[in-house]
């Protein structure tokens, strides 16, 4: 792995961590519940991106399954929470 | 693969990764700094679309160059994201509209609902001028 790619991976992971911390700040502060759901969705997506960058870092495609699972659970949980906020129940 | 070409591929992968990191950071700064919820709904789209596309293209490029065959399995993630993200976004937007209409004081910048929940008898003139108080 060339030093350019290694430096880029470290920089990208640092950006992701910072972005997760900012989204966590919104999750903590958020005036309404929708803000918190949105911030949680963003955190899920950034976690998926972290998995894909780690796949490049460790040259293993096993991380893609984890990324796919994180994306799936993020979608299901965000949709369930949004549906709950909209109707008061998830499955009518 | 010859090492010089692989070096260029690694440089392209590094560029894509750095772009994705910067745009994700921009999305997070936007979600913290914007004022209303409808403004805050926009910046995560950067992370959902641009950053995901960049990382997916980077991993496709990198693994294709390493194995010297087309490695398209990362494409699944971007297909899945582009299907699911609009659903979540629309549900959250409708939630915000619903909650602003029902829970808070009705304000002028919220558009009225298009569909009425129950067919109700024709209101008298005095009722029709009053603000709606559904639910």
């Amino acid at each position: 792995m060339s030093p350019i790619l290694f430096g880029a991976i470290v920089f990208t992971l640092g950006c992701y961590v910072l972005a997760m911390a900012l989204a966590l700040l919104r999750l903590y502060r958020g005036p309404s519940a929708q803000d918190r759901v949105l911030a949680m969705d963003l955190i899920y997506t950034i976690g998926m991106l972290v998995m894909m960058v780690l796949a490049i870092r460790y040259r293993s495609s096993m991380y893609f399954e984890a990324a796919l699972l994180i994306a799936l659970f993020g979608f299901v949980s965000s949709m369930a929470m949004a549906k709950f906020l909209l109707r008061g129940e998830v499955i009518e | 693969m010859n090492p010089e070409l692989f070096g260029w591929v690694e440089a392209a992968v590094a560029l894509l990764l750095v772009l994705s990191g910067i745009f994700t950071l921009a999305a997070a700064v936007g979600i913290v700094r914007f004022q209303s919820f409808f403004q805050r709904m926009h910046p995560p789209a950067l992370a959902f679309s641009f950053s995901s596309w960049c990382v997916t293209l980077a991993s496709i490029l990198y693994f294709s160059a390493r194995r010297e065959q087309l490695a398209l399995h990362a494409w699944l993630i971007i297909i899945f994201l582009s299907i699911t993200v609009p659903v979540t976004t629309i549900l959250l937007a409708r939630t915000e509209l619903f909650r602003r209409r029902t829970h808070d004081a009705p304000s002028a910048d919220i558009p009225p609902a298009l569909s009425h929940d129950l067919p109700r008898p024709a209101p008298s003139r005095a009722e029709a001028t009053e603000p709606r108080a559904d639910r």
Side-chain angles (χ1 to χ4, degrees), chain B residues 34-47:
Chain B
F34 279 175
Q35 295 303 316
S36 76
F37 179 77
F38 287 122
Q39 288 174 347
R40 279 198 289 269
M41 281 183 55
H42 295 287
L46 277 179

Side-chain angles (χ1 to χ4, degrees), chain A residues 6-25:
Chain A
F6 186 74
I9 285 174
V10 169
F11 174 79
T12 309
L13 287 179
C15 279
Y16 287 164
V17 168
L18 210 54
M20 266 191 181
L22 287 175
L24 203 62
L25 181 67

Side-chain angles (χ1 to χ4, degrees), chain A residues 1-2 4-5 8-9 11-12 15-16 18-20 22-23 25-26 29 31-35 37-39 41-42 45-46 48-49 52-53 55-56 59-61 64 67-68 71-72 75 78-79 82-83 85-87, chain B residues 10-11 13-15 17-18 20-22 24-25 27-29 31-34 37 40-41 44 47-48 51-52 55-56 58-59 62-63 66-67 73-74 76-77 80-81 84 87-88 91-92 94-96 98-99 135:
Chain A
M1 177 165 294
S2 70
I4 293 178
L5 185 54
I9 285 174
F11 174 79
T12 309
C15 279
Y16 287 164
L18 210 54
M20 266 191 181
L22 287 175
L25 181 67
R26 175 53 71 192
R29 273 206 323 214
S32 65
Q34 300 90 280
D35 284 307
V37 176
L38 192 65
D41 203 24
L42 184 60
T45 306
I46 298 175
M48 190 205 69
L49 293 178
M52 296 183 64
V53 173
I56 295 180
R59 297 170 186 169
S60 153
S61 54
F64 285 114
L68 210 53
L72 185 69
F75 166 63
S78 305
M79 206 192 66
K83 198 82 169 53
L85 292 177
L86 191 60
R87 288 290 181 198
Chain B
E10 280 193 334
V13 167
L15 181 67
L17 287 184
V18 166
S20 120
I22 288 173
T24 309
L25 199 55
V29 169
I31 206 177
V32 169
R33 282 189 56 92
F34 279 175
F37 179 77
R40 279 198 289 269
M41 281 183 55
F48 294 151
S51 299
S52 310
V55 175
T56 305
S59 76
Y62 186 72
F63 284 106
R66 261 186 67 81
R67 298 175 187 161
H73 49 291
L76 269 181
I77 288 176
F80 183 77
L81 266 192
T84 57
V87 179
T88 314
L91 268 179
L92 281 176
R94 291 199 59 88
T95 305
E96 172 76 6
F98 173 74
R99 297 201 130 202
R135 301 187 184 97

